[in-house]
Structure formats: structure tokens, C-alpha cells
Amino acid sequence: MSENFSKLGFAKTYIYPALALFLIPIGCLVFYTYIQSTYDQQFLEAAKADIRNDQQLTPEEKGGLIAFYETFPPSRLIVSNQPGAAEWRELQDTQYLIEQYSLAWAVRISWLCIWAGIAAFVLTGIGVALSLQSQAMQYRSLWVGWHSLRLFCTLEVIAQGLLVFSLSFWIPAFFFSVYIIKVLLLFAIIALGAIGVVIAAIFKRPNDDFVVQGEILTREMAPQLWYDLEQLSSKMQTAPPDHVIAGIDDNFFVTQLPVKVQDKHEQVQTLTGRNLFVSLSLLKKLPGQEADAVLLHELAHFSGNDTLYSQRIAPLLARYDHFLQGLYEGGVSRPVFYFAVMFRALYEISLGSLSRQREFRADRLAAEATSSHDMAHALLRITAYSQYRAELEKEFFEAEEVHEQVNLSERIDGGFLAYTNSFVDKHNVGELATAHPFDSHPPLKQRLEAIGFRATPDAMRSVLYDESIGNWFQKIDDAELLEREQWTAYEEQFRQFHENILAFRYIPSNQQEQELVEKFFPPLTLTAAKNRPVSFDFEKVTYEDWDAPIYYREIESMTFENQWGARLDLVVKRNGKSKTIKLPLSKTQSEQQEVMGTLENYYGRAVSAIAYQKSLKEPEPMSPDEDRFSLET
């Protein structure tokens, strides 16, 4: 989440929706208070008439009784301990008492939800404010916040579920003097379903595996690299990493989270402890002192316990995000979801703030151990490389034809030096940030200014125009082979992914395009009702009882019906008119699911292709030229 939002934008996006937390309680409070007031008035009018007509009571006794009922109407007597309240309750009809008790408790639950919501807003604000103080306080506030909020949200969902269920009784009962069993059962199922989903989300462990493509560098594979890392670690006053992973990503990072390392043979090994990831492609382009600065920056995260607190915080965030999904899927729990999202958004501000402080600290320590020029030059080189790689990948991805091969690494190596001129001239360099899997990095301009570095565009070109191979790359045995193997695997994965994407873009206009689409969406014949065939291909579905096949572009909606036999009702628009065409389904559930799943997938592909081709024909909006950013002050 970006921190560059206006106060109004944040309020409209998070605060205002969070107020939906009070929607059901306040609505129920107003409704049930109105019912109580109506019933109290009806009771008082009947009681006054009976008292006045009672010839056995003296005027003083009549006045006293009327004053008592005016002070203590049924809505108060039902829960009061005042003298006479218990006797009054004993005289009432059982059903009347049950209704009064349900109203009283509905009002109490509504008030409880409202006051608990207000308290949650206040405590959330305090927790987020405290989390800005330090990493330790950030972890403690999130730990307390997670455990408190999941309890609050769960109880709030239960309470609001009860209120929604009570409405299903009282709305027809009060306005129409009836209650409908089917409606009560329906709302009971809805409320219980929401409660069940939310409770399950608390205890279900989310899949938060962190998988990295790369090769584990043992001391035998890179003895000089390990020796120099130990020297740098000593300079940074921290222990060296437990493991080093070499990959081809466009970043360096450290973590103490468990890392699943997948090698070129797709074998996975889990590493725990302090892990350092190095980019072979970047090590090849970083001169010695620049590489020292980058590695010292990463080691500084170890010395500052940044990775320790990330290790503690990450699982809490993963569980909280999983809990948010449960709140969203619960239906009735959606108002509570918006409140919980607001807390997550506020906490993201804290995470971003401290993350930037960590980056500034690591930059400063690395610059002090080398020089501000070395740190700044490394940041410029890494940013330019990341930008160039991203632009080439976008170019490959947006291509409308199948790639016989993706020569991404070759294009990067052959064109990087020429690219540096356009990078400095055309890009808003100061607003760019380096990639990172865990932390949000500040813009380059802020990082360079924080270490006291100033540079003109010409100086930046001079820094970037260096084609010497970095000496850290040469400290790894068979580094060229390791890098080439990883690029080969990555480029093939990229090619296959792009090929798959093309299948969602094409409305085939020739045999080659049709063959590609059919590679992923081949003609299929499945079983419908009474073992009769239903056939699918990339553009239509065919059934023998229909006059003509149904093309996916004709379908407006699909509905599953199981009354009088399972079937799909397809609303089709032809010649400007809509009509419903039925597809009877097999009685076997697995065959039903297979037909519906296939239709959904093939229809989804066709819709995506139609939308994509339409977007190509629409003119793109004009955008003003961006001003070139200069680091010169």
C-alpha cells in the first residue's frame, strides 16, 4: 500500500467503510426501540383503561398504579428488579414474556455492539500510534492487536448474526403479525454460516511458504565469497549468514523466515536461520566496492534485528490476512470486514514507515563502511538494471505472437549500456525504487539524499557506463554456468506462460492461432443427461437437442437448477432477442461438475479474448510527458 494518499482518500477508502460496523447495531437499536415504545404505549393505554374501570380501587390507588406503569413500562419491567416487577412478570402470558425478553436482549446486544465498536476504534488508533515507536513496539502492538481484534471481530459477527436473525422474526411479526418458518431457517443458516467461516479462518493455517528460485552456495562452491562475507560481517558487527542463495532476480535481500529453495531440477530444500539472497546477474554488473556496499547494506539488516522482527511479524500478518478473507466470505460479516481492513491499512502505514527507517539506516551504515559514492552508484546501477529488465519483460509479454525462444538475458547483457542513456534522460529516476520481497524501499531520490549524494545526469551516465565484470561474481565457482542454467529455466517458464496468456487473447483468425488456443482448450466431449454427449471447443458448445450450437459470445448468463432434474439454464442473445436454452445434466455429481467446470473455463477464455481484442481497438488516452528528474541541486 502506498503512503502517498490524501487524508480524504484514505478516509473514503478505509474509514468510511469501517463505519459500516455500526450499520446493523444502530439500525436494530432504532427498530427495536421503536417496537418497545409502540408496545409500551399499547400496554399503557390498555392498563389505564382497566385501572380506571376497576371499581374496587380508590382514586389514590388508581393514580399510583398509573404512575407506576408510566415509570416502569413493560420494556423496563421485563428486566427490572423493582418491587412489583417480578409479580407483574408472573401474571403475563409466556409468549408475551418471550417476545419482551427477545426485544430487551436485542436492544442490549445492539448497544453492546455499538460501545464495543467505539472502544475498538479507540484502541486500534492507540495501537497503531504505539507501533510507530520502534520495531519491538510494532511487533507487540500487532500481536496484541491481532489477538484482540480476532476476538472482537468474532464476537461482533456472532452478535450481529443474532441481530440479523432476530430481524427475520420481528419484521414480519411486527408489521404483519406473522412469522415465517422458512425465512427464520434461511436467516439462521446465513448467520451460522458466517460465524462458521469466521471461526474456521481463525484456526486454519494459511499457506505462507516463501519459495525462491536459485542455487544454495556452499563454502565448497564459493570459498572466497564466504571468506569475504565473513569479513564484511565483522565490519558490520554481526554474524555472517547461515546460508547464501544465488539466483537471477533483480534484487538482494536477507531474511530469517524459512525459505524453500527450488533449484533447476525443481527440487526443493527448506532453509532456516539467517539467509542471504544474491543476484548473480547483478553481481556480474557491480564493481567490487559497489558490491561491497550492497552486501554491507543487507548485513546491516541482520545487525539491526530487522530480519528478526520481520520473522515474528510476517506470520501474524499472514494469519490476519487469512482472517480478513474469512470475514469477507462470511456475507453477514462484511461490515466487520471493513473495520478489520481499516486496522490493516493503518498498520500498513506503520510497517511502511519503519521499513523506510530500516532502509535509510542500512544505507547509511553501508556508505560509512565504503563510501557514499559506492552506495549511491550501486543503487543507481541496480535501479537501472531492474527498470531495463522490467521493460524488456513487458515487451516480451505484450508480444502478440508466440516466442520461439525468450532471449531475455542476452538482450539485457547486449543492450544495458546503450539503455543507460535513455534511462537517465527519459525516466523519472528519483521516483524509482529497487525491488524487494519484504520491505517497501523509499524512492531513489530520498535514499541518495539521505547519504548526502548529489549527481548530474552526465555523472549518472558515467557511473552506469561500465561493462567490467564484478569481482564478486568471479568469486563463485562456475558462476557463468549457474547463471546460464537459471536463465534458461526462467526463460522457458516465461515463454510457456506467455503462450498460455496468448490463448486468452486470441480470437483465432488463422490456423496457427487456432492451434495455440486448442493446445490449452482442446475439443472435448463430456456426458450430459441420459449419457448423451455435450461437446465443447474454444468458441462454442454443442448439444444434440439444440437447433444450433451456442457460441460463448452469445451467452448472457448461466444458472444451475436442480428442480425436476439438474440442468444449466443458458440465457442466450440472438438477433437482438434473449432466450433461455436448457442443458440437462447427468445425475452423477462428478459428471455435472466436469460439464459445468469446462463450460465456465471455456466461456471465461472467450470473454477474456473478446474484451482484450476490444481493448486493442479503443484509442489509448493521451498522457502528458513526464518531467525529467535531475539529482542535481
Side-chain angles (χ1 to χ4, degrees), residues 192-213:
L192 289 173
I195 295 169
V197 169
V198 171
I199 292 176
I202 293 176
F203 298 102
K204 186 176 180 180
R205 181 185 179 276
N207 182 11
D208 54 357
D209 291 341
F210 179 53
V211 180
V212 171
Q213 304 287 335

Side-chain angles (χ1 to χ4, degrees), residues 477-493:
D477 294 346
D478 297 324
E480 288 283 359
L481 177 61
L482 285 177
E483 185 194 21
R484 182 66 259 159
E485 288 176 341
Q486 292 192 43
W487 270 116
T488 299
Y490 177 79
E491 289 168 347
E492 178 58 23
Q493 290 172 2

Side-chain angles (χ1 to χ4, degrees), residues 144-263:
V144 172
W146 154 241
H147 291 288
S148 302
L149 275 174
R150 70 173 178 178
L151 177 61
F152 163 77
C153 291
T154 302
L155 293 176
E156 192 78 18
V157 170
I158 293 173
Q160 295 199 18
L162 288 172
L163 290 176
V164 169
F165 173 71
S166 68
L167 287 175
S168 68
F169 171 82
W170 274 109
I171 289 177
F174 180 71
F175 290 108
F176 308 107
S177 299
V178 297
Y179 63 92
I180 306 169
I181 295 295
K182 288 185 177 180
V183 172
L184 289 171
L185 289 175
L186 175 62
F187 277 85
I189 292 171
I190 292 173
L192 289 173
I195 295 169
V197 169
V198 171
I199 292 176
I202 293 176
F203 298 102
K204 186 176 180 180
R205 181 185 179 276
N207 182 11
D208 54 357
D209 291 341
F210 179 53
V211 180
V212 171
Q213 304 287 335
E215 191 78 24
I216 302 170
L217 294 181
T218 64
R219 292 180 182 272
E220 292 75 19
M221 294 171 64
Q224 187 62 48
L225 178 141
W226 272 99
Y227 175 80
D228 290 347
L229 271 179
E230 289 171 350
Q231 300 305 306
L232 292 182
S233 299
S234 177
K235 185 181 291 189
M236 197 51 65
Q237 298 181 352
T238 187
D242 299 313
H243 308 281
V244 177
I245 308 161
I248 56 170
D249 289 359
D250 56 347
N251 58 54
F252 296 79
F253 64 84
V254 287
T255 182
Q256 287 184 232
L257 290 168
V259 176
K260 292 183 179 296
V261 182
Q262 187 176 51
D263 62 20

Side-chain angles (χ1 to χ4, degrees), residues 95-107:
Q95 182 176 350
Y96 178 78
L97 287 175
I98 292 173
E99 292 177 353
Q100 290 295 324
Y101 273 122
S102 70
L103 286 172
W105 275 104
V107 169

Side-chain angles (χ1 to χ4, degrees), residues 312-360:
R312 294 175 177 177
I313 288 173
L316 291 176
L317 293 176
R319 293 183 66 186
Y320 191 80
D321 291 342
H322 186 70
F323 183 64
L324 285 177
Q325 183 180 355
L327 287 173
Y328 184 85
E329 294 174 351
V332 176
S333 57
R334 195 69 61 85
V336 184
F337 161 80
Y338 291 120
F339 167 78
V341 164
M342 182 203 67
F343 172 76
R344 182 67 176 84
L346 288 171
Y347 203 86
E348 192 68 29
I349 298 174
S350 170
L351 290 170
S353 175
L354 290 187
S355 174
R356 281 160 170 72
Q357 291 179 30
R358 292 197 298 264
E359 294 307 316
F360 287 136

Side-chain angles (χ1 to χ4, degrees), residues 114-125:
I114 292 169
W115 285 112
I118 293 172
F121 265 88
V122 172
L123 293 176
T124 293

